Amino acid sequence: MFVLIWATLLFSVRVSDAETGSSVWGKQSCPLTDYCITLDEGEITAEAGLCVVIPCSFTVPEDIKVLHIVWFKCESTKQRCGGGDRIFHSNTFSDKVQSEFKGRVSLLESDVSQKNCSIIVNDLKESDSGTYQLRVNTLPSSGSFSKFSQRATVSVKGLSQRPTVMIPPLTEGQPTTLTCTAPGLCSGSEPAFTWRWRGRGESDADLTGNITAFKTENVAEFAKRSSSTLSFSPSAEHHRTNITCMVLFQGHVSTEETATLSVSCE
């Protein structure tokens, strides 16, 4: 017989949590002896296209075996989410999750016996704002049922963060490489990069004939840093012109940054 441990979350997603890989912080609640849960009660906000970490941990009696961790999203008016509201199940053979969340939610710690229920939600959409609920399925020696009432508010806003463009000192005729790094440290879909160059008095144009490369760097088990490099030989015509890097995320969410080139003569 399964024991169901519920925790209702109304949360806003904070992007810095995903960027720092923060550990679990929050208020602990223990409605029953040896049954405790710790959740971030503060407002957590995030931006569309990026990701969020929802910190969460729990404890159960030593004779209780943790089987699965399940997350739900449903209307705030519901006291408890139902089966049709499921967005994640730690049983990889369970595919009964809301279609819009498939492949976007994962645990930070895959071993459920570690009592870490933190999840990362990738490829965020503004519609991800809402009420979320946690359930821990266990196999006890004696049955029991517990509810937890910690609450927070989810708010996913439009993307305001910009990519970072790194430009080394440029010298005419000497090959160089520019780097554009996408905002966010996420393990979701890889973004697409586009470089544009604007000559003096000219309209933007895609750079052609230059070598571009995409790179993904693992900074944690659940976080990656994405960047694109542009290699070319600067000339006098590039001096005081603008270079733009645009990053396109899932859901047609884009952001860009423009920098001015300064080319020196040998």
Side-chain angles (χ1 to χ4, degrees):
M1 174 170 141
F2 292 114
V3 176
L4 305 182
I5 303 175
W6 291 86
T8 302
L9 298 176
L10 280 157
F11 70 93
S12 308
V13 190
R14 190 191 315 270
V15 127
S16 59
D17 289 336
E19 292 180 339
T20 60
S22 59
S23 57
V24 174
W25 294 98
K27 184 178 179 181
Q28 186 181 66
S29 175
C30 304
L32 293 177
T33 303
D34 296 328
Y35 283 86
C36 300
I37 190 163
T38 302
L39 293 170
D40 186 349
E41 287 192 320
E43 183 176 275
I44 309 172
T45 60
E47 298 185 5
L50 303 184
C51 57
V52 66
V53 169
I54 305 171
C56 172
S57 68
F58 64 93
T59 61
V60 293
E62 292 184 0
D63 60 342
I64 297 296
K65 180 181 179 180
V66 178
L67 297 179
H68 300 297
I69 292 174
V70 188
W71 282 88
F72 303 80
K73 178 179 184 291
C74 64
E75 296 297 327
S76 59
T77 54
K78 284 188 177 182
Q79 182 180 4
R80 191 173 70 187
C81 298
D85 303 316
R86 188 182 299 118
I87 65 168
F88 173 80
H89 197 301
S90 61
N91 181 357
T92 57
F93 296 102
S94 176
D95 59 357
K96 295 181 179 180
V97 299
Q98 294 185 49
S99 58
E100 61 266 32
F101 283 93
K102 281 188 176 181
R104 294 202 292 129
V105 186
S106 59
L107 288 172
L108 297 193
E109 170 56 65
S110 58
D111 183 357
V112 296
S113 68
Q114 297 302 309
K115 312 299 193 300
N116 185 348
C117 42
S118 303
I119 57 172
I120 181 170
V121 184
N122 286 292
D123 301 334
L124 286 172
K125 311 171 186 178
E126 293 188 37
S127 60
D128 290 336
S129 301
T131 301
Y132 290 68
Q133 191 168 56
L134 167 73
R135 187 179 80 199
V136 177
N137 290 346
T138 66
L139 189 61
S141 56
S142 59
S144 63
F145 179 85
S146 301
K147 290 182 180 179
F148 300 89
S149 60
Q150 300 94 320
R151 293 176 182 254
T153 301
V154 175
S155 180
V156 181
K157 304 296 185 181
L159 181 60
S160 64
Q161 296 186 59
R162 296 182 179 182
T164 302
V165 178
M166 300 295 294
I167 302 176
L170 305 178
T171 302
E172 185 177 8
Q174 293 187 4
T176 190
T177 299
L178 312 184
T179 302
C180 176
T181 303
L185 298 178
C186 304
S187 56
S189 303
E190 295 179 345
F193 290 82
T194 301
W195 291 86
R196 297 195 307 271
W197 172 63
R198 173 176 288 182
R200 299 186 188 92
E202 300 177 9
S203 58
D204 286 352
D206 291 339
L207 287 164
T208 58
N210 298 293
I211 301 172
T212 59
F214 175 81
K215 178 182 179 182
T216 299
E217 174 188 4
N218 291 329
V219 296
E221 183 178 353
F222 61 90
K224 297 179 180 180
R225 178 181 289 110
S226 299
S227 61
S228 174
T229 57
L230 170 66
S231 300
F232 73 113
S233 293
S235 64
E237 71 171 341
H238 292 114
H239 185 56
R240 292 184 179 177
T241 60
N242 291 333
I243 189 83
T244 299
C245 173
M246 185 181 74
V247 182
L248 178 64
F249 295 96
Q250 286 290 308
H252 305 288
V253 177
S254 65
T255 181
E256 62 181 43
E257 184 63 281
T258 298
T260 301
L261 304 180
S262 178
V263 183
S264 61
C265 298
E266 289 186 294

